[in-house]
Amino acid sequence: PIVVPDVGRIPRFTSSEFDFDSQSGIDALISLNCDCQYGVDFRYLWVNDFTASERFIPLDDPQIETNPRTPMVFDTGDLFLLDYRSEMQSVEILGHRLLGCGSVKATAGFRYIKLDESLGIDTLEDPDSEVFEQYGFAAQNDLYGFQIGLEGPLYNKCRSGCFRIDGFSKLGLYGNSARGSAFFEDPGDALLDSSGSGSTNHTSFAMELGVFAN
């Protein structure tokens, strides 16, 4: 039979409760000017191993149903250990044109974005017990599309030296090839282990805002 989950249930834990860390990355840009107005930009952006971990104890619920097909419940006091990870890479090939006496740059062209995410969940009967159930979810998104953008000065002050703050905004429409997978493992009973995967294609959009100083 087809089981429709009850999407009206109140969530007990959401992504807003994660405390995300900071992560360094690479942002490299090569800009070639063909003449005084036109040129081409090549940009590569990479942020690896962006992580967030959290602990969750559903003390306010006597039980939490997790699977409508084969109902499972967690007793009050069970400990959930959640570990989120993501990686993003982006490649841009854009043509640009200088506007307003060269102070503003308009860009348009191709962009590819790769976004991989995973969420692992370990459940324990108490903080001192061994893991008795494990869940894993992963998603890979490959986005190909067209992007437009603007870049220009937000603050410019020249006296003894020259200090300026520039900003940019970019907006793109993409075709997204998305894939997802999930698994469940019970260390105490391998017969309960299960996994599945799927894929889809749909339209997505992405926006990027940035500020940098010179």
Side-chain angles (χ1 to χ4, degrees):
I2 298 177
V3 178
V4 180
D6 181 1
V7 296
R9 292 175 181 166
I10 299 174
R12 299 302 191 265
F13 186 93
T14 68
S15 58
S16 63
E17 298 177 65
F18 274 110
D19 184 15
F20 290 94
D21 64 359
S22 298
Q23 181 63 35
S24 60
I26 297 173
D27 191 355
L29 173 67
I30 297 176
S31 184
L32 304 176
N33 293 318
C34 302
D35 54 34
C36 295
Q37 277 192 311
Y38 297 93
V40 181
D41 293 343
F42 302 91
R43 183 190 181 207
Y44 175 70
L45 175 65
W46 176 52
V47 180
N48 184 38
D49 204 20
F50 189 73
T51 62
S53 299
E54 192 55 76
R55 299 160 62 94
F56 171 56
I57 302 177
L59 295 176
D60 58 341
D61 291 298
Q63 62 184 27
I64 297 179
E65 296 182 11
T66 59
N67 189 330
R69 186 180 296 274
T70 55
M72 302 171 58
V73 297
F74 296 93
D75 297 329
T76 300
D78 285 346
L79 173 63
F80 292 69
L81 302 179
L82 301 98
D83 184 30
Y84 166 86
R85 296 178 180 273
S86 72
E87 176 184 0
M88 189 190 78
Q89 296 188 69
S90 171
V91 176
E92 299 172 57
I93 304 175
L94 309 173
H96 72 247
R97 179 182 179 183
L98 300 180
L99 308 174
C101 300
S103 60
V104 176
K105 182 167 71 172
T107 61
F110 171 80
R111 185 172 191 177
Y112 165 71
I113 302 174
K114 180 177 179 60
L115 176 63
D116 295 341
E117 299 177 289
S118 65
L119 175 64
I121 304 175
D122 293 341
T123 60
L124 296 78
E125 292 183 343
D126 60 71
D128 297 323
S129 68
E130 296 182 355
V131 173
F132 69 90
E133 287 171 346
Q134 293 179 307
Y135 301 84
F137 307 90
Q140 297 84 39
N141 298 273
D142 291 294
L143 295 90
Y144 306 83
F146 179 76
Q147 175 184 272
I148 58 174
L150 284 175
E151 177 183 324
L154 301 178
Y155 175 83
N156 193 347
K157 189 69 173 178
C158 290
R159 288 183 178 174
S160 57
C162 190
F163 175 76
R164 58 183 291 173
I165 298 176
D166 293 336
F168 68 82
S169 62
K170 299 178 179 181
L171 179 66
L173 184 66
Y174 306 90
N176 183 13
S177 174
R179 302 173 303 282
S181 61
F183 73 85
F184 167 76
E185 292 183 357
D186 186 341
D189 189 349
L191 294 177
L192 296 178
D193 294 353
S194 61
S195 63
S197 62
S199 62
T200 184
N201 297 289
H202 57 86
T203 302
S204 301
F205 89 95
M207 181 173 65
E208 181 181 2
L209 302 175
V211 176
F212 52 93
N214 294 319

